[in-house]
Amino acid sequence: MNTDRIRQEIPLTQEVIYLDNASTSLSPQPVIDAMLEYETHYRANVGRGVHRLSQIAGQLYWDSHETVNRFIGGEGGTSVFVRNCTEAINMVSHGLTFRPGDEIITTVTDHHSNLLPWYVLREKGINVNVISPAANPMAGITAEDISSAITKNTRLVAVSHASNVLGTIHPVKEIAKIAHDHDTLFLVDGAQSVPHLKTDVRDIGCDYLCFSGHKMLGPTGTGVLWMAEDSLEPLLLGGGMIDEVTTDGYQVSSGYSKYEAGTPNVAGALGLRAAVKYLNSIGMSDIEAHEYVLTGQLLSGLSGIEGVSIIGPPEGENRIGVVSFMIEGLHPHEVAHILDDQYSIIVRSGHHCCMPLMQHLGLPDGTVRASLYLYNTKEEIQTLIESVKEIVEGV
Ligand SMILES: Cc1ncc(COP(=O)(O)O)c(C=O)c1O
């Protein structure tokens, strides 16, 4: 993998050590060029006209969906473009019909975006069971955790593929089997997995996969809801999503259009298409291997520093490059501030939109979190380790 070339295409990598990729990633020049090209040369609405600009934009917009669908092995299913992973999950919670007494299982390791859209259904008499890892809380959710919680009333299991705090990878394939053996739908929150791990929805066997385009080199304001069948009720109604409208009613169209009422984020979609092509040109297995090495280096470096504790699985375990840690005697925000101010290292601190997990772990102030991507280097990781050492020595 030619990290130097990638870094040349992302100018910010020359200015800071960017380690907040779990929050959002940086976009390489080809992604920005794709959006600029649309704005400059064929800016038009899509699916709404026969003129030449609309034809070009419409064709590329359609191809963006196809490109994303192929990227996750989702041919035959539908990839809908949304603003972010949060919107995708909300579309599912809104679009399914639940009855009082139905049950939804999610987990304490999940992001607020995979909790609140389910919590709101409690008002309608739906039982939302937020389960915790029975074994080691740092090791994430296991298939046994799901199988011991699932009941005949469970309608949906919603679990993240990878934790944005612990870095754990959850056994989604096994969970899908358990869910389907119980005639239960399975939603995977792929916000932290799709950008980093080769993903195949058919292999996983999920019904819904939600993820963020902006965490995988794509523009902000992009996300995807993939569904095996387009049977959800659409969240929005209006232009662009119908086959016919009369004074009496309307007939919605099928496929992604059904879920994309109104003028979509065309530039964002074309940027996301370019991002997927970029990731494909490098190869997801090479990206995964690169990040695995850097993650090992970071975990081994940080765990060797007295006063630093890692919140998550140790080096060598099946995990992603999200590394949460604490420095004894310092608030996580203080650490993040010093890293930025004195070392130009960008990390996130706090609860990472996972307050229930922080309560479960007994970490009211949250953690410091360094999260990697394909453009990070061994030198950058070493700088982070050395900087943390200096901060610890100064406490
Ligand atoms: C696991 C997980 N799920 C959902 C989200 C929400 O993503 P978005 O901000 O794109 O809606 C995030 C964002 O950090 C996440 O890490």
Side-chain angles (χ1 to χ4, degrees):
M1 210 172 89
N2 190 343
T3 317
D4 285 345
R5 183 186 60 79
I6 299 168
R7 291 172 68 80
Q8 276 161 22
E9 289 178 326
I10 307 176
L12 251 180
T13 58
Q14 269 101 75
E15 289 175 35
V16 293
I17 297 182
Y18 188 77
L19 292 169
D20 192 18
N21 293 285
S23 194
T24 198
S25 59
L26 306 177
S27 289
Q29 201 55 46
V31 171
I32 294 159
D33 289 346
M35 293 191 287
L36 202 59
E37 194 179 292
Y38 162 73
E39 298 290 359
T40 318
H41 297 296
Y42 42 86
R43 168 145 173 161
N45 216 324
V46 290
R48 283 159 174 80
V50 294
H51 62 74
R52 72 182 87 164
L53 301 184
S54 180
Q55 290 298 313
I56 301 171
Q59 178 63 30
L60 285 169
Y61 187 68
W62 171 84
D63 190 63
S64 305
H65 289 76
E66 294 291 303
T67 305
V68 167
N69 233 14
R70 277 195 302 275
F71 183 64
I72 53 166
E75 295 97 328
T78 305
S79 281
V80 177
F81 286 173
V82 290
R83 283 180 301 161
N84 45 47
C85 183
T86 305
E87 186 170 315
I89 299 173
N90 274 275
M91 280 177 74
V92 180
S93 86
H94 175 89
L96 288 172
T97 309
F98 295 102
R99 285 184 306 261
D102 283 347
E103 188 175 87
I104 292 165
I105 295 176
T106 182
T107 89
V108 77
T109 67
D110 275 85
H111 190 279
H112 296 163
S113 294
N114 198 25
L115 294 174
L116 273 57
W118 313 118
Y119 285 6
V120 74
L121 298 174
R122 284 176 170 154
E123 291 160 18
K124 295 182 180 164
I126 285 94
N127 178 15
V128 181
N129 187 4
V130 184
I131 64 167
S132 307
N136 176 2
M138 301 273 190
I141 286 291
T142 63
E144 291 70 42
D145 292 325
I146 303 294
S147 61
S148 51
I150 205 160
T151 72
K152 64 177 177 20
N153 295 325
T154 311
R155 286 282 324 283
L156 179 107
V157 175
V159 177
S160 65
H161 191 172
S163 161
N164 64 310
V165 172
L166 302 168
T168 45
I169 299 175
H170 302 137
V172 283
K173 201 170 161 174
E174 287 170 64
I175 298 173
K177 176 149 182 9
I178 296 163
H180 291 154
D181 285 349
H182 288 78
D183 260 343
T184 296
L185 293 167
F186 181 39
L187 176 145
V188 174
D189 171 353
Q192 298 299 339
S193 55
V194 175
H196 306 280
L197 310 172
K198 184 157 179 45
T199 306
D200 184 334
V201 282
R202 298 295 179 191
D203 183 51
I204 295 172
C206 55
D207 299 284
Y208 305 103
L209 176 72
C210 305
F211 55 103
S212 322
H214 66 91
K215 294 187 203 287
M216 48 188 278
L217 309 182
T220 53
T222 63
V224 180
L225 164 60
W226 177 86
M227 50 185 121
E229 287 174 23
D230 59 1
S231 53
L232 291 177
E233 280 303 309
L235 180 63
L236 299 177
L237 301 172
M241 51 85 71
I242 44 81
D243 280 341
E244 194 183 2
V245 183
T246 65
T247 50
D248 292 328
Y250 60 91
Q251 180 64 43
V252 295
S253 53
S254 55
Y256 68 80
S257 328
K258 178 177 166 186
Y259 300 97
E260 297 185 7
T263 301
N265 177 3
V266 184
L270 302 195
L272 180 56
R273 174 177 180 264
V276 169
K277 283 172 177 271
Y278 197 91
L279 291 170
N280 277 337
S281 73
I282 292 160
M284 289 308 290
S285 347
D286 283 4
I287 293 171
E288 201 177 322
H290 174 75
E291 288 176 25
Y292 188 79
V293 171
L294 297 191
T295 306
Q297 180 194 351
L298 180 55
L299 286 165
S300 113
L302 289 180
S303 56
I305 307 172
E306 209 172 318
V308 173
S309 44
I310 307 284
I311 312 299
E315 190 193 353
E317 301 235 339
N318 187 27
R319 51 142 48 245
I320 57 164
V322 165
V323 176
S324 273
F325 63 95
M326 307 284 289
I327 298 183
E328 211 180 302
L330 282 181
H331 192 288
H333 287 332
E334 241 177 308
V335 178
H337 183 72
I338 300 170
L339 284 172
D340 176 13
D341 204 43
Q342 295 180 24
Y343 303 94
S344 292
I345 299 176
I346 308 295
V347 295
R348 180 152 173 205
S349 53
H351 55 67
H352 315 297
C353 299
C354 284
M355 282 186 179
L357 177 61
M358 295 307 167
Q359 286 150 14
H360 185 70
L361 297 171
L363 299 170
D365 296 334
T367 69
V368 185
R369 183 187 71 183
S371 50
L372 328 172
Y373 212 1
L374 67 164
Y375 36 73
N376 291 122
T377 62
K378 285 185 176 169
E379 292 71 32
E380 288 184 321
I381 299 302
Q382 201 48 43
T383 306
L384 172 62
I385 297 166
E386 298 302 328
S387 311
V388 170
K389 262 188 207 151
E390 285 183 18
I391 295 172
V392 170
E393 280 157 14
V395 173

